[in-house]
């Protein structure tokens, strides 16, 4: 009966309002691989830990891709694997690759991402790193098959330092916590301060033991500690590197001199922020809230952008072929609209998505970098982060 | 009675001034941030009143008889009808959630509404005051254009990056054409042969053959000294003689003047900040453009291709409509 399929398909196509020049139906398969360990650590009353951060963004982007695909006879599948530990992630990655997935969106810390990228089975796959900010993954640890969606720490730091330079707040006090990523965040700030001629008046580790917050008079102890810590220094802004959120919230209003806070707390450089509603972002915020029942975070945006990037590539050119999608993502033809008021593209030298970065506190969008006046030979967006001449990535 | 006298006076004034460049007409500007409509005298270009309306007024269109203005009050999730004689909101029409842009059928009986939050175009029967049909389209529907014969509706969807061609009698989509990223405005040429679609993030205008449903030309814009990322085409206005198209380039703060035969950009006109939507005066000699960030309206002499005046309006001006 092969002869009868034509008229039926045609009838179906016209019923669905699909153009007669419709392409053959194709399915684009995407894997989603995440390390989702159980939250251990103290319960925070104000912000309960999220259990679905990242993957909610992926699901929303999948729905967006499906809507576009409907008009092109394309459909998308999302194969989710959220695993509790590194071993389980690697097992899931192998299973995913053996099952034929070649486009994999990841929510993994740097070492684990590299382990997956270096699996022999992943040789012809493309990995879209949706959530890491790690500079080493864009530098010496880069891989040709990995693209990075969220701004690197270098880009976040440059976003802040450009703004401080424009405001002429050129002297900062840098305070670095003890958690794993604090050192890397502070290193990015130091590099960026040199780049934009911001003077680090003092560079101090934060060693005060927290934990006494809940005792009566806990506020007295922390207030005295911050006052002592900031005494006798002349600076414009207190810049904090506290990626684990252990003390950053307890600095404001307690310094000896009245000074604003920036970095991981206070004025924060980020890919996404709750008060952000420019360039149509209101629509994405609203759609996300409707689906997830909570506010969108930068990690959710990273996963959204990763899956939208795949959809954009598949709908614009090559269809479902993973190798062709991978090539299209890196080509000059690729552009992603992600509510930042400009088209986003991938840097050829390290696979990083070029993008404007927000500067916001919890209630207000303060600015968006690059700041006006920072010029660049090719793209002003490349004034943020590691530019081609200085990259240590060798692909 | 007063209204009758006013419109009679207006009509005779229009007769008297028929040979002069500007007729007695009025401009209406929606101010997204102020929740107001600014009324401007088309002859003196003076602001004559500011009207309080619903939340976040964006897309506006005049009724066919010129007596009413349909206003998308996006955050109020409905359409308000402003009576242009009394300048009061006299009627509320339903829409889907977050209506952003409307267009009117040539017979004046139907409003097509893009509801940005639910991937639907609502077809509203104005006389009955109810949504007759909803047509599923792409993600974040935005631009709306109707062919001069009223038979085809084109809707753009921002995140899907397509122009959807819809048969207005069957309410079915006929074709879906991929254009540049984040398409904003769809405009038919007066002869109905082409649809021009602006892509805000893509930075281009796609010219689509309305019969073949295929992009025949892609217009790019390059302005010396302006970063490519700032070139964000939104509003499109094509002169009644179809020889010239004006394209508002958003934060590039310029309007491109495009030759519709060669698709070459003849000139860039420097206007206010984040120029958005445009409308011609009734005689076609002036072009008005809303500047969202500088909160003003630029007035352009269409023959001389010169910006002649700036009129301060409300905050975040979005759309502009000219009525007799």
């Amino acid at each position: 009966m092969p002869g009868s399929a034509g008229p039926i398909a045609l009838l179906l196509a016209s019923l669905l309002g699909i153009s007669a020049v419709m392409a053959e139906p194709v399915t684009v398969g995407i894997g989603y691989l995440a390390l989702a360990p159980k939250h251990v650590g103290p319960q925070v009353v104000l912000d309960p830990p999220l259990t679905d951060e990242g993957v909610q963004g992926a699901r929303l982007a999948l729905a967006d891709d499906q809507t576009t695909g409907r008009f092109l006879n394309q459909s998308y599948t999302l194969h989710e694997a959220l695993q509790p530990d590194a071993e389980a992630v690697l097992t899931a990655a192998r299973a995913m690759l053996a099952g034929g997935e070649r486009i994999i969106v990841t929510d993994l810390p740097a070492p684990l991402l590299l382990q997956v990228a270096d699996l022999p089975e992943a040789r012809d796959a493309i990995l879209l790193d949706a959530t890491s900010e790690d500079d080493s993954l864009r530098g010496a640890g880069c891989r040709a098959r990995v693209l990075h969606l969220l701004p690197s720490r270098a880009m976040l730091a440059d976003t802040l330092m450009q703004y401080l330079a424009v405001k002429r707040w050129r002297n900062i006090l840098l305070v670095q916590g003890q958690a794993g990523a604090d050192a890397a965040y502070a290193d990015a700030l130091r590099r960026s301060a040199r780049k934009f001629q911001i003077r680090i008046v003092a560079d101090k580790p934060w060693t005060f033991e927290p934990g006494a917050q809940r005792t009566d008079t806990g506020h007295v102890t922390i207030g005295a500690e911050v006052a002592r810590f900031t005494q006798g220094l002349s600076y414009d802004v207190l810049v904090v590197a506290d990626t684990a959120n252990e003390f950053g919230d307890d600095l404001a209003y307690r310094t000896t001199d009245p000074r604003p806070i920036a970095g991981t707390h206070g004025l924060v450089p980020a890919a996404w922020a709750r008060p952000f509603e420019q360039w149509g972002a209101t629509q994405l915020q609203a759609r996300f809230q409707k689906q997830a029942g909570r506010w969108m975070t930068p990690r959710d945006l990273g996963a959204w952008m990763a899956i939208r990037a795949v959809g954009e590539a598949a709908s614009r050119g090559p269809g479902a072929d993973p190798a062709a999608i991978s090539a299209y993502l890196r080509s000059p033809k690729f552009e992603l609209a992600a509510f930042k008021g400009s088209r986003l593209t991938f840097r050829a030298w390290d696979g990083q998505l070029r993008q404007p970065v927000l500067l916001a506190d919890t209630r207000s969008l303060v600015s968006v970098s690059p700041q006006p006046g920072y010029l660049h030979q090719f793209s002003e967006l490349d004034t943020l982060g590691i530019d081609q001449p200085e990259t240590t990535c060798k692909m | 009675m007063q209204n009758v006298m006013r419109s009679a006076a207006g009509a005779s004034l229009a007769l008297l001034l028929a040979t002069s460049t500007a007729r007695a007409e009025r401009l209406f500007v929606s101010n997204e941030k102020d929740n107001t409509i600014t009324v401007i005298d088309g002859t003196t270009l003076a602001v004559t009143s500011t009207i309080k309306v619903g939340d976040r007024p964006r897309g506006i269109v005049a009724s066919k008889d010129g007596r009413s203005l349909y206003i998308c009050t996006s955050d109020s999730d409905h359409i308000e009808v402003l009576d242009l004689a009394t300048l009061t909101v006299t009627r509320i029409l339903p829409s889907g959630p977050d209506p952003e842009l409307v267009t009117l059928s040539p017979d004046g009986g139907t409003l097509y509404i893009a509801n940005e939050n639910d991937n639907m175009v609502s077809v509203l029967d104005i006389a009955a005051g109810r949504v007759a049909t909803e047509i599923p389209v792409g993600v974040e529907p935005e631009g709306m254009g109707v062919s001069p014969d009223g038979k085809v509706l084109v809707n753009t969807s921002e995140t899907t990056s397509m122009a959807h061609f819809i048969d207005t009698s069957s309410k079915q989509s006929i074709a879906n054409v991929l254009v540049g990223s984040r398409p904003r405005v769809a405009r038919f040429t007066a002869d109905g042969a082409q649809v021009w679609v602006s892509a805000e993030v893509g930075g281009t205008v796609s010219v689509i053959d309305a019969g073949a449903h295929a992009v025949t030309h892609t217009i790019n814009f390059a302005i010396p000294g302006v970063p490519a990322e700032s070139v964000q085409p939104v509003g499109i206005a094509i002169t009644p003689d179809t020889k010239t198209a004006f394209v508002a380039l958003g934060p590039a703060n310029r309007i491109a003047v495009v030759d519709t035969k060669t698709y070459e950009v003849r000139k860039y006109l420097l206007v206010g900040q984040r120029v958005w939507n445009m409308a011609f005066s009734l005689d076609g000699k002036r072009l008005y453009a809303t500047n969202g960030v500088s909160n003003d309206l630029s007035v352009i002499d269409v023959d001389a291709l010169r910006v002649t005046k700036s009129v301060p309006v409300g905050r975040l001006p979005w759309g502009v409509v000219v009525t007799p």
Side-chain angles (χ1 to χ4, degrees):
Chain A
M1 290 284 287
S4 64
I8 290 172
L10 202 65
L11 180 68
L12 195 65
S14 64
L15 279 176
L16 290 171
I18 295 167
S19 164
V21 290
M22 203 76 212
E24 287 292 303
V26 294
T27 300
V28 182
I30 306 170
Y32 185 86
L33 190 60
L35 176 67
K38 282 215 165 60
H39 180 81
V40 278
Q43 281 295 321
V44 182
V45 184
L46 293 180
D47 303 296
L50 303 176
T51 53
D52 56 358
E53 198 179 9
V55 72
Q56 286 283 7
R59 289 173 192 157
L60 184 62
L62 182 78
D64 289 350
D65 286 356
Q66 299 286 30
T67 308
T68 304
R70 199 175 67 204
F71 301 109
L72 294 167
N73 220 359
Q74 289 183 336
S75 62
Y76 294 80
T77 57
L78 186 65
H79 176 180
E80 291 178 16
L82 282 67
Q83 302 297 338
D85 56 58
E87 205 41 57
V89 166
L90 286 170
T91 307
R94 286 197 190 93
M96 217 176 241
L97 290 159
E101 300 288 10
R102 285 295 174 272
I103 303 169
I104 299 179
V105 175
T106 65
D107 171 15
L108 302 173
L112 193 50
L113 174 60
L114 290 184
Q115 277 182 278
V116 172
D118 293 341
L119 287 174
E121 303 96 307
R123 204 175 47 243
D124 56 350
I126 178 166
L127 302 183
L128 294 109
D129 161 25
T131 57
S132 94
E133 297 169 344
D134 201 281
D135 285 315
S136 72
L137 285 176
R138 284 91 166 158
C142 71
R143 298 289 187 275
R145 66 183 66 110
V146 183
L147 295 173
H148 307 281
L149 279 300
L150 284 187
S152 63
R153 289 200 186 95
M155 292 167 73
L156 297 175
D158 287 352
T159 294
L160 175 60
M161 294 301 164
Q162 277 193 5
Y163 184 72
L164 297 186
V166 164
K167 296 297 287 183
R168 297 174 191 273
W169 298 342
R170 291 201 169 270
N171 297 304
I172 63 169
L173 165 57
L174 180 60
V175 49
Q176 179 191 325
Q178 309 287 309
D182 293 354
Y185 195 93
D187 279 345
L189 290 168
R190 292 183 191 106
R191 184 202 61 85
S192 181
R194 276 196 301 279
K195 182 174 168 184
F196 293 104
Q197 287 144 40
I198 301 293
R199 198 164 77 88
I200 300 177
V201 172
D203 189 333
K204 299 170 73 170
W206 180 262
T207 53
F208 182 70
E209 196 55 52
Q213 281 286 288
R214 281 189 181 170
T215 58
D216 299 342
T217 74
H219 69 281
V220 177
T221 321
I222 185 82
E225 176 61 22
V226 175
R228 189 196 60 74
F229 189 88
T230 56
Q231 205 167 20
L233 295 165
S234 173
Y235 62 97
D236 299 314
V237 182
L238 173 55
V239 179
V240 54
D242 170 29
T243 56
N245 200 20
E246 284 183 344
F247 62 95
D249 282 321
D250 300 328
L251 299 173
Y253 316 112
R254 300 163 179 90
T255 50
T256 294
D257 293 326
R259 293 291 177 268
I261 314 291
T264 54
H265 292 74
L267 180 63
V268 179
W272 197 253
R274 222 173 64 154
F276 179 53
E277 50 180 1
Q278 283 172 213
W279 299 299
T282 312
Q283 270 73 250
L284 187 61
Q285 299 269 32
R287 276 191 287 137
F288 186 89
Q289 280 209 314
K290 197 171 159 188
Q291 177 195 284
R294 61 172 176 83
W295 286 92
M296 192 174 200
T297 71
R299 294 160 73 87
D300 293 315
L301 176 76
W304 184 87
M305 291 196 295
I307 287 178
R308 275 294 301 128
V310 174
E312 190 65 21
S315 67
R316 293 278 169 188
D321 176 36
I325 286 176
S326 174
Y328 189 90
L329 286 170
R330 293 171 178 281
S331 79
K333 281 185 283 185
F334 174 78
E335 61 186 32
L336 182 67
F339 306 93
K340 295 293 169 63
S342 66
R343 69 204 82 141
L344 313 186
T345 53
F346 287 102
R347 288 176 182 151
W349 57 90
D350 61 1
Q352 167 69 51
L353 188 72
R354 282 188 183 90
Q355 58 198 297
V357 181
L358 315 179
L359 266 175
D361 67 13
T362 54
R363 305 288 297 183
S364 171
L365 178 77
V366 176
S367 187
V368 181
S369 288
Q371 297 297 318
Y374 283 98
L375 304 179
H376 190 278
Q377 192 178 359
F378 303 113
S379 166
E380 281 163 24
L381 294 175
D382 287 342
T383 63
L384 302 180
I386 307 296
D387 202 357
Q388 189 156 20
E390 43 178 355
T391 186
T392 52
C393 169
K394 291 186 185 69
M395 287 188 184
Chain B
M1 184 63 186
Q2 206 186 353
N3 296 338
V4 176
M5 282 170 65
R6 188 188 294 165
S7 57
S12 53
L13 192 64
L15 267 174
L16 281 171
L17 296 175
T19 50
S20 78
T21 49
R23 288 186 285 171
E25 57 195 41
R26 288 189 293 176
L27 280 60
F28 297 87
V29 176
S30 57
N31 302 304
E32 185 177 345
K33 191 104 184 173
D34 277 354
N35 303 335
T36 57
I37 301 287
T38 303
V39 189
I40 298 167
D41 183 301
T43 311
T44 63
L45 294 177
V47 173
T48 55
S49 54
T50 304
I51 307 149
K52 207 90 189 117
V53 293
D55 292 344
R56 203 178 179 202
R58 292 194 280 177
I60 49 176
V61 64
S63 64
K64 203 185 174 199
D65 61 13
R67 287 182 188 165
S68 319
L69 189 72
Y70 303 113
I71 307 162
C72 291
T73 40
S74 303
D75 284 357
S76 298
D77 294 331
H78 59 225
I79 308 286
E80 298 189 358
V81 184
L82 183 73
D83 179 81
L84 294 186
T86 61
L87 296 181
T88 50
V89 174
T90 52
R91 203 176 161 206
I92 304 284
L93 295 170
S95 70
D98 199 13
E100 175 163 10
L101 221 132
V102 278
T103 191
L104 190 67
S105 62
D107 65 11
T110 306
L111 271 181
Y112 300 103
I113 310 160
N115 302 310
E116 202 164 19
N117 266 358
D118 74 348
N119 308 346
M120 292 279 182
V121 167
S122 297
V123 182
L124 181 97
D125 180 330
I126 298 172
R130 62 177 189 88
V131 174
T133 322
E134 296 220 302
I135 306 168
V137 290
V139 182
E140 292 170 33
E142 170 89 20
M144 302 281 274
V146 183
S147 61
D149 62 8
K151 287 182 179 163
V152 178
L153 171 72
V154 173
N155 161 255
T156 65
S157 49
E158 287 176 337
T159 291
T160 298
S161 300
M162 281 182 179
H164 306 283
F165 284 69
I166 296 159
D167 181 329
T168 54
S169 53
S170 72
K171 313 285 189 289
Q172 296 290 318
S173 92
I174 316 162
N176 305 286
V177 182
L178 268 174
V179 292
S181 294
R182 205 170 158 80
R184 294 298 298 256
V185 163
R187 191 75 68 222
F188 271 90
T189 50
D191 59 6
Q194 291 177 336
V195 186
W196 289 45
V197 176
S198 59
E200 185 183 11
V201 167
T204 57
V205 166
S206 299
V207 180
I208 302 172
D209 182 313
H213 305 132
V215 175
T216 55
H217 298 278
T218 302
I219 303 168
N220 289 283
F221 306 92
I223 311 167
V226 175
E229 280 105 359
S230 296
V231 174
Q232 298 176 5
V234 178
I236 299 172
I238 303 173
T239 51
D241 65 10
T242 75
K243 283 183 181 158
T244 308
F246 293 88
V247 180
L249 300 178
N253 306 338
R254 282 161 179 83
I255 292 174
V257 183
V258 182
D259 185 313
T260 56
K261 273 218 163 55
T262 62
Y263 305 103
E264 297 291 322
V265 178
R266 287 167 58 196
K267 198 174 177 181
Y268 292 102
L269 304 169
L270 183 64
V271 289
Q273 287 175 294
R274 207 203 65 180
V275 57
W276 212 294
N277 285 300
M278 297 175 289
F280 287 107
S281 60
L282 296 178
D283 62 10
K285 289 187 183 300
R286 278 182 188 162
L287 180 71
Y288 303 109
T290 54
N291 303 310
V293 172
S294 50
N295 300 333
D296 64 333
L297 182 86
S298 290
V299 182
I300 291 142
D301 182 322
V302 171
D303 291 331
L305 293 181
R306 272 191 320 114
V307 182
T308 57
K309 199 175 163 74
S310 154
V311 182
V313 292
R315 286 182 300 168
L316 248 176
W318 198 98
V320 54
V321 153
V322 180
T323 67

